């Protein structure tokens, strides 16, 4: 029967198993008694793997899953996972067993109160808005989405009157793209200027494609509903270098698309991009809703699709040349 709602990402494991993440609460009707909330692991033949213990799972949609070391990192639009219903901001880390990775913190205690332990997510970092994708970048967690602030928490401190233990939230403005160390702390060597301020990002919604290997290794294609990115005019699509700065070799001098870009797919064999959206021109040339770009961001005029009329293209497919 599959899932009862959207699957947003799938992680293929070395032993042949698969982990699916998304917006579903059931898989093959195994969640009829206890919901399978947004995360499920299956065997290679698709049967349900009951040994993956996620508890109550995520309390809202998951968009992306990443295996890094001995953990899985989850991103989406959620604030709770398993036994933790608080202290998560759209991003967390779980063990390979499916349980959330937690750490014990001694809370503030008034004189005469006995010591105790409280448990919080070990990965102490997140964002105030939806995290659409996470990638591995130089052994760190690269997050992209429609957020404005990075959020980190301080535990074990009292409130102002020192009457009880409290959790202190600290925020740093960084729009759309950020990189974190494996403990969740913000990597300020990425997309921060010498003045200590983060780059401004885009003036609209963004999505991304990351290049993990090849000639463009570490670079990030950014697309969406923006026409400015990091303070420069960009026609709904641009590319960043591995250090997070704008890549001046992408579509040099071009105006880009004249309207929203909904999806970008990269072909590692041809080193080209298929781009679809609501646009009708690219760099001033007619390109109605679908086009192919060369590796440098210029239009590949040898790609001549039929004209799409009265529809908007938004579906993303993987494609390759054999």
């Amino acid at each position: 029967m599959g899932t009862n709602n959207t699957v947003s990402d799938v992680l293929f494991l070395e032993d042949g198993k698969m982990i699916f993440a998304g917006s579903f609460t059931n898989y093959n009707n195994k969640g009829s008694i206890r919901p399978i909330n947004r995360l499920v692991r299956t065997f290679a033949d698709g049967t349900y793997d009951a040994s993956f213990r996620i508890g109550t799972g995520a309390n809202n949609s998951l968009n992306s899953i990443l295996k890094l070391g001995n953990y899985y990192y989850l991103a989406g639009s959620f604030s709770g996972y398993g036994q933790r219903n608080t202290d998560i901001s759209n991003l967390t880390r779980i063990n390979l067993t499916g349980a959330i990775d937690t750490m014990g913190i001694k809370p503030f205690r008034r004189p005469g109160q006995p010591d105790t332990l409280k448990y919080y997510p070990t990965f102490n970092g997140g964002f105030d808005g939806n995290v659409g994708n996470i990638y591995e970048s130089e052994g760190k967690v690269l997050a992209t989405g429609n957020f404005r602030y990075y959020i980190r928490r301080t535990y074990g401190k009292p409130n102002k009157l020192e009457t009880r233990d409290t959790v202190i939230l600290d925020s740093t403005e960084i729009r759309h793209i950020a990189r974190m160390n494996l403990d969740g702390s913000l990597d300020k060597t990425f997309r921060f200027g010498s003045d200590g301020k983060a780059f401004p990002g885009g003036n609209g919604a963004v999505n991304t494609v990351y290049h993990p290997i090849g000639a463009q290794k570490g670079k990030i294609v950014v697309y969406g509903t923006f026409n400015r990115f990091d303070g420069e005019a960009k026609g709904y699509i641009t590319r960043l270098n591995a250090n997070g700065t704008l890549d001046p070799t992408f579509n040099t001098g071009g105006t880009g698309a004249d309207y929203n870009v909904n999806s970008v797919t990269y072909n590692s064999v041809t080193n080209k991009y298929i781009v679809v959206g609501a646009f009708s021109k690219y760099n001033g040339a007619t390109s109605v809703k679908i086009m192919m770009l060369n590796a440098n961001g210029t239009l590949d005029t040898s790609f001549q699709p039929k004209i799409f009329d009265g529809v908007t293209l938004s579906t993303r497919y993987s494609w390759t040349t054999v």
Side-chain angles (χ1 to χ4, degrees), residues 45-101:
D45 63 358
T47 55
Y48 175 61
D49 181 4
S51 67
F52 193 53
R53 304 289 188 174
I54 67 169
T56 55
N59 65 355
N60 212 333
S61 298
L62 298 178
N63 298 324
S64 186
I65 179 171
L66 167 71
K67 186 178 186 295
L68 190 53
N70 292 320
Y71 300 98
Y72 300 123
Y73 292 80
L74 304 176
S77 294
F78 65 107
S79 59
Y81 179 91
Q83 70 271 34
R84 296 302 315 170
N85 294 318
T86 58
D87 305 315
I88 294 175
S89 297
N90 304 309
L91 184 62
T92 199
R93 183 172 79 187
I94 65 174
N95 296 303
L96 299 184
T97 60
I100 190 169
D101 181 34

Side-chain angles (χ1 to χ4, degrees), residues 24-27 29-40 48 50 52-57 82-83:
F24 53 86
T25 58
N26 204 347
Y27 178 80
N29 209 29
K30 298 297 185 180
S32 57
I33 297 175
R34 173 177 289 186
I36 299 172
N37 286 322
R38 289 98 192 180
L39 195 68
V40 66
Y48 175 61
F52 193 53
R53 304 289 188 174
I54 67 169
T56 55
Q83 70 271 34

